């Protein structure tokens, strides 16, 4: 089956007209109609419903064909691009944004793999707070940012990379009474909390967890470093929540 036929069918589906599709494809309309009719005869189904004076509509069989054709053409595009990249190599610059905390945990293995595949790309790391990176990414100053969800900005598209467990970090001298049910963050609502400063997405995650359990944490200290938060906990100055 000629790959051009997929393009013809998709253009007819998009324009809902053989005439408009022929103009876009730079071929004669009778030739386009003839080739599509020949394709329909080969397949044994009608791809389009043709009614004089009405827009051309895809039949149920035509819709199935359109969806498959889109995938096939995308695969062809991806294959050609990959072969070109292998031949010429990808060059340019990629700006990746992350907070210092997230970047330290996630970026090193990702960057190692990326540099192995695309050694000619210059990667620049942008470390800022979550709020700043959301704005920089939305304005195109940063190409992509790795941040904690949720991200509520209509200018951005998000994709979940992975999820991870969260742990309640307690000082050794904190007395934990035995309970019949598993301990939850609510059992420590009376304790002073050590949180990241405003502007960090992980701070919002912690506050939402507390709100879900029906309380607002008593914030004793705020820091921009999770290592500092852990050290404060180690000296019995409060509790915190960490990723590891």
């Amino acid at each position: 089956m000629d790959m051009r036929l997929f393009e013809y069918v998709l253009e007819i589906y998009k324009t809902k007209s053989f005439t408009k599709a022929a103009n876009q494809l730079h071929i004669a309309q009778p030739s386009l109609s003839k080739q599509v009719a020949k394709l329909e005869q080969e397949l044994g189904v009608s791809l389009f419903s043709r009614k004089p004076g009405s827009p051309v509509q895809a039949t149920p069989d035509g819709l199935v064909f359109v969806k498959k054709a889109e995938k096939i053409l995308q695969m062809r595009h991806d294959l050609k691009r990959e072969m070109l990249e292998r031949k010429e190599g990808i060059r340019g610059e990629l700006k990746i944004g992350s907070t210092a905390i997230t970047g330290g945990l996630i970026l090193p293995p990702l960057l190692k793999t990326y540099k192995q595949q695309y050694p000619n790309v210059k990667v620049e790391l942008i470390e800022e707070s979550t709020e700043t990176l959301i704005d920089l990414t939305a304005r195109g100053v940063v190409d992509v940012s790795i941040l904690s969800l949720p991200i509520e900005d209509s200018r951005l598209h998000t994709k979940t990379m992975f999820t991870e467990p969260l742990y309640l970090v307690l000082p050794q001298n904190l007395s934990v009474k035995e309970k019949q049910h598993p301990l939850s963050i609510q059992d420590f609502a009376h304790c002073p909390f050590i949180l990241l400063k405003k502007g960090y997405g992980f701070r919002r995650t912690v506050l939402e967890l507390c709100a879900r359990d029906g309380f607002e944490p008593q914030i004793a200290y705020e820091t921009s470093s999770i290592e500092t938060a852990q050290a404060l906990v180690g000296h019995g100055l409060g509790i915190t929540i960490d990723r590891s």
Side-chain angles (χ1 to χ4, degrees):
M1 188 179 296
D2 193 331
M3 193 71 69
R4 289 177 299 175
L5 293 174
F6 297 141
E7 298 173 346
Y8 294 170
V9 170
L10 289 179
E11 194 61 38
I12 296 168
Y13 174 74
K14 183 173 69 174
T15 61
K16 300 185 185 302
S17 167
F18 277 80
T19 302
K20 292 180 180 178
N23 290 334
Q24 291 293 328
L25 295 166
H26 304 292
I27 60 176
Q29 190 269 329
S31 175
L32 176 61
S33 298
K34 182 178 180 180
Q35 293 192 60
V36 172
K38 184 177 179 181
L39 173 63
E40 290 176 320
Q41 184 179 7
E42 178 184 344
L43 297 173
V45 297
S46 294
L47 300 178
F48 296 103
S49 175
R50 305 163 176 83
K51 295 181 181 180
S54 299
V56 175
Q57 299 291 337
T59 64
D61 291 323
L63 289 174
V64 173
F65 187 93
V66 164
K67 291 181 180 179
K68 294 291 185 181
E70 288 176 334
K71 292 181 180 179
I72 292 171
L73 290 176
Q74 184 61 51
M75 290 174 63
R76 182 187 66 170
H77 172 76
D78 292 343
L79 179 59
K80 291 174 66 176
R81 183 186 62 188
E82 184 174 343
M83 292 301 102
L84 182 62
E85 290 171 355
R86 291 178 65 88
K87 175 184 176 183
E88 300 180 354
I90 296 180
R91 298 180 182 275
E93 182 176 280
L94 177 66
K95 294 184 178 180
I96 302 177
S98 74
T99 64
I101 299 168
T102 301
L105 293 172
I106 298 172
L107 280 178
L110 291 179
L111 288 178
K112 180 179 180 180
T113 301
Y114 186 85
K115 292 298 290 183
Q116 289 174 344
Q117 295 182 7
Y118 308 108
N120 296 323
V121 175
K122 178 184 177 182
V123 178
E124 181 180 352
L125 301 181
I126 310 295
E127 287 188 349
E128 294 287 350
S129 68
T130 301
E131 290 180 355
T132 300
L133 286 172
I134 287 175
D135 181 64
L136 291 176
T137 307
R139 292 193 289 113
V141 178
V142 172
D143 297 307
V144 61
S145 287
I146 302 175
L147 302 169
S148 298
L149 294 175
I151 302 296
E152 297 175 351
D153 191 310
S154 60
R155 299 173 296 172
L156 297 176
H157 172 72
T158 63
K159 182 176 181 180
T160 302
M161 297 176 63
F162 62 88
T163 58
E164 57 186 348
L166 299 179
Y167 300 92
L168 193 61
V169 185
L170 309 174
Q172 291 184 350
N173 60 1
L174 182 64
S175 176
V176 179
K177 296 180 180 179
E178 293 292 333
K179 289 182 175 288
Q180 296 299 320
H181 60 84
L183 291 172
S184 71
I185 189 174
Q186 189 178 34
D187 296 314
F188 301 92
H190 63 285
C191 296
F193 274 71
I194 301 166
L195 300 184
L196 294 179
K197 292 181 178 180
K198 293 181 180 179
Y200 286 87
F202 190 62
R203 173 194 175 98
R204 178 177 174 179
T205 298
V206 174
L207 292 176
E208 289 180 349
L209 286 173
C210 295
R212 189 182 65 186
D213 275 8
F215 74 96
E216 183 176 344
Q218 307 169 34
I219 302 175
Y221 298 96
E222 296 176 319
T223 175
S224 58
S225 167
I226 196 65
E227 288 79 10
T228 300
Q230 292 172 346
L232 291 170
V233 172
H235 284 79
L237 297 173
I239 67 173
T240 193
I241 294 178
D242 194 2
R243 295 185 173 107
S244 59

